Amino acid sequence: MKHFLSPICLLLILLTACTHRVSNPRQVNLLPEIYPDYVGVTIPVGIAPLDFSMADKRVTCIDVDVKGTKGGTLHVNGAYADFDIEEWHRLTEMNKGGKLVVSVCAEKDGEWVKYRDFDIFVSQYPLDDYGLTYRRIPPGYEVGGNIGLYQRDIHSFDEEPLLTEITVPGRCMNCHTANRNNPDRITMQIRGENGGTLIQKDGHQQWLNTKTDSTKAAGSYASWHPDGDYCAYAVNAVHQSFYVGTGQRIEVYHSFSDVVMLDTRSNELVLSPQMMTDDLEIFPAFSAKGDTVYYSTSKPCRVPAEYDKVKCSLCAISFDAKTGQWGNQADTLLNARDYDKSFTLARPSFDGKWLMYTVSTCGNFPVCRPEADLWLMNLQTRETRPLDEVNSPQTESWHSWSTNSRWFVFASKRENAMYTQLFLACLDEQGKASKPFLLPQRNPRKFYEEMMDAYNVADFTTRKVVFDAREAYRQVFNQERIQVTIR
């Protein structure tokens, strides 16, 4: 049966549509205040559309034209700028190395206002990785609220869970790490009762007990050797304390920490006296060639009372994957005493040129430090500087590199000082970063206002991660673990 609109209904629809057409706009010499702030950002070809709203919630309708300097146009009209994914992809592809010029008109209180155009730059550097994996966690500082690991296609808005607390009730999962963004090699840690360390190779799960009589705890904070046979872990105990009357919420600290190496072929730990001292060695990260492990180390303090005395130096030590041997001496790249700062979360780029790390006034868990910033070191010259182009007055931390080392993702609290959200930025040949942009979402204001989770530990992945959550449930609760040994 065919259905027809009555003439009255059709007239009402046409009249309603007409009210949203731009009519006699008043021109203002101001850039539009939009959410998210995408004015002047640099994006890769094929990224998910940069949907946005006006920051002023009294705006009832916006009309947006996007024109590429190398060709192509887009037009949207509605409560927010809602771009078609395929049309957006074609426009960015057409304008690689050029820019998109965005014209915005907004209707408020029955009046249209036309703003100055702004640019979105389309980088010549591709971002070919499939997407991101990350943990979403309510900032309630406890297990509960459905902590979960998720993956997101950065070329669309598709997100799906890998493992959540619904699947493994009452368990805290963290430190999910792929090998140089390759999802064929991943590791993660389940803490607490029935805890264990996952090693997944080519879809096959192994759950290990990485604590031994010679080590103080199970593995966490992991980094894979490029060959995929060895994985470095910090072994530590994480604690949290809450401030009273200071305006700061929480301090996270470690009462001890060492770094160990796991041979994933034999499930043997390779230990080093230099990495198991009375100091706290933490956050290992393999170099691009795999011959060096970067890490942070701090002197033991009486925490939490002396939390502000925790200062981490940035160090490096060699590792020979052919022989499975640690080096005999560590090299201090940045001494905490010299700078009166704490250097953590060193992440070398995969092309071997850069080392990005977090700098805070103290502590070894920078996501809780509002002053934490990203810094960049040139690994050829050892010159280092703060990444002022991307830093904000709030926390920046948990950064990771794209496979081609041209893009990086990091977690920031700049939007509301409470929730870490994911931002992406580009790095050019000279180490200059572009203005970062918030991870695109469909109807971003609605999404981020209703999202009660914080994002952390984001990593790029070259392809979609294949993970059997049912098998993980079976393995977690059957309490069977492969016991690692000491080589």
Side-chain angles (χ1 to χ4, degrees):
M1 180 182 293
K2 295 183 179 180
H3 298 276
F4 298 95
L5 291 172
S6 70
I8 294 177
C9 290
L10 183 60
L11 178 61
L12 287 173
I13 291 173
L14 291 173
L15 288 173
T16 302
C18 288
T19 61
H20 291 284
R21 292 177 180 172
V22 178
S23 177
N24 300 319
R26 177 169 58 88
Q27 182 82 41
V28 295
N29 190 27
L30 298 170
L31 289 170
E33 295 184 12
I34 62 173
Y35 177 82
D37 177 14
Y38 290 143
V39 176
V41 300
T42 297
I43 63 171
V45 169
I47 194 71
L50 300 192
D51 288 2
F52 64 86
S53 303
M54 295 299 291
D56 187 345
K57 293 185 178 181
R58 294 172 297 173
V59 169
T60 54
C61 185
I62 60 174
D63 189 276
V64 180
D65 281 305
V66 185
K67 296 181 180 180
T69 56
K70 295 186 176 183
T73 62
L74 277 179
H75 174 259
V76 293
N77 178 290
Y80 69 97
D82 183 11
F83 300 105
D84 179 81
I85 293 177
E86 291 185 0
E87 292 179 358
W88 176 268
H89 286 177
R90 283 195 292 269
L91 187 64
T92 59
E93 179 66 44
M94 191 180 302
N95 288 277
K96 181 178 181 179
K99 63 182 180 180
L100 310 179
V101 181
V102 185
S103 302
V104 176
C105 292
E107 184 186 38
K108 184 176 71 172
D109 299 331
E111 179 189 27
W112 282 98
V113 175
K114 180 174 175 52
Y115 296 89
R116 283 170 46 198
D117 295 349
F118 69 87
D119 297 332
I120 294 174
F121 301 94
V122 184
S123 176
Q124 62 179 319
Y125 303 122
L127 179 53
D128 295 329
D129 295 82
Y130 162 79
L132 295 168
T133 59
Y134 43 78
R135 184 171 67 164
R136 279 180 21 197
I137 177 172
Y141 315 117
E142 60 187 357
V143 174
N146 198 25
I147 296 170
L149 305 181
Y150 293 80
Q151 64 179 336
R152 159 71 190 270
D153 180 357
I154 58 175
H155 308 287
S156 71
F157 301 108
D158 295 337
E159 180 193 69
E160 63 180 81
L162 293 172
L163 186 66
T164 70
E165 199 180 340
I166 291 176
T167 306
V168 284
R171 301 299 180 267
C172 177
M173 62 214 68
N174 54 13
C175 306
H176 49 289
T177 306
N179 180 20
R180 296 172 63 93
N181 303 345
N182 180 356
D184 293 339
R185 295 283 194 276
I186 60 174
T187 183
M188 61 168 286
Q189 174 72 17
I190 297 285
R191 291 188 181 272
E193 185 181 0
N194 297 340
T197 300
L198 166 70
I199 297 291
Q200 177 169 304
K201 294 183 178 181
D202 303 319
H204 176 68
Q205 296 184 22
Q206 268 196 335
W207 289 83
L208 312 178
N209 178 13
T210 51
K211 185 181 184 304
T212 71
D213 293 339
S214 301
T215 55
K216 298 177 181 178
S220 65
Y221 306 142
S223 177
W224 286 88
H225 187 274
D227 292 345
D229 292 330
Y230 287 96
C231 199
Y233 294 90
V235 292
N236 49 45
V238 184
H239 305 275
Q240 56 188 19
S241 292
F242 296 89
Y243 291 91
V244 177
T246 65
Q248 192 169 335
R249 297 178 181 86
I250 188 173
E251 189 69 39
V252 176
Y253 58 92
H254 301 81
S255 55
F256 63 85
S257 188
D258 296 324
V259 171
V260 301
M261 192 71 67
L262 174 67
D263 187 334
T264 64
R265 299 164 298 183
S266 62
N267 294 325
E268 294 176 302
L269 292 181
V270 183
L271 308 183
S272 165
Q274 285 75 28
M275 306 301 289
M276 301 182 68
T277 70
D278 291 336
D279 296 343
L280 280 70
E281 295 84 17
I282 199 167
F283 298 129
F286 268 107
S287 65
K289 294 181 179 179
D291 56 358
T292 300
V293 176
Y294 300 100
Y295 66 100
S296 296
T297 180
S298 61
K299 296 295 180 183
C301 297
R302 190 167 53 88
V303 290
E306 296 180 333
Y307 76 93
D308 56 342
K309 293 183 179 180
V310 177
K311 310 277 186 176
C312 292
S313 296
L314 186 59
C315 298
I317 189 170
S318 64
F319 182 78
D320 187 338
K322 292 182 180 180
T323 63
Q325 296 292 320
W326 290 93
N328 294 321
Q329 186 173 354
D331 178 20
T332 300
L333 305 182
L334 293 170
N335 194 310
R337 292 192 303 272
D338 295 341
Y339 292 86
D340 195 29
K341 300 285 187 183
S342 193
F343 306 105
T344 52
L345 294 176
R347 295 289 185 269
S349 61
F350 299 130
D351 61 7
K353 294 181 178 180
W354 310 103
L355 186 68
M356 193 177 296
Y357 55 96
T358 302
V359 179
S360 54
T361 57
C362 63
N364 54 18
F365 205 78
V367 73
C368 294
R369 304 297 311 170
E371 79 285 356
D373 283 335
L374 298 181
W375 284 47
L376 188 72
M377 177 183 290
N378 183 319
L379 285 174
Q380 278 69 51
T381 65
R382 296 282 183 97
E383 294 178 355
T384 190
R385 68 176 184 90
L387 272 173
D388 293 330
E389 312 94 291
V390 304
N391 290 326
S392 75
Q394 289 295 329
T395 305
E396 271 75 53
S397 66
W398 292 124
H399 45 283
S400 297
W401 294 93
S402 67
T403 304
N404 66 359
S405 301
R406 288 300 182 196
W407 299 87
F408 59 96
V409 62
F410 64 97
S412 176
K413 294 183 181 178
R414 67 186 64 198
E415 292 291 323
N416 51 39
M418 170 70 79
Y419 295 93
T420 45
Q421 297 170 339
L422 299 184
F423 288 77
L424 292 90
C426 184
L427 197 76
D428 66 17
E429 291 279 359
Q430 289 71 44
K432 177 74 172 178
S434 62
K435 177 180 176 179
F437 63 94
L438 182 63
L439 179 66
Q441 303 288 353
R442 178 74 76 197
N443 195 352
R445 172 183 286 160
K446 182 177 188 297
F447 179 90
Y448 284 112
E449 285 186 351
E450 295 179 359
M451 166 63 72
M452 296 292 107
D453 289 347
Y455 291 79
N456 64 10
V457 201
D459 277 314
F460 287 98
T461 52
T462 55
R463 300 184 312 281
K464 192 173 183 178
V465 179
V466 177
F467 186 77
D468 189 339
R470 292 182 180 178
E471 175 64 12
Y473 169 84
R474 188 185 72 81
Q475 295 274 7
V476 168
F477 287 101
N478 71 9
Q479 302 185 41
E480 296 177 3
R481 300 289 180 268
I482 299 171
Q483 178 61 53
V484 302
T485 57
I486 305 296
R487 178 177 296 175

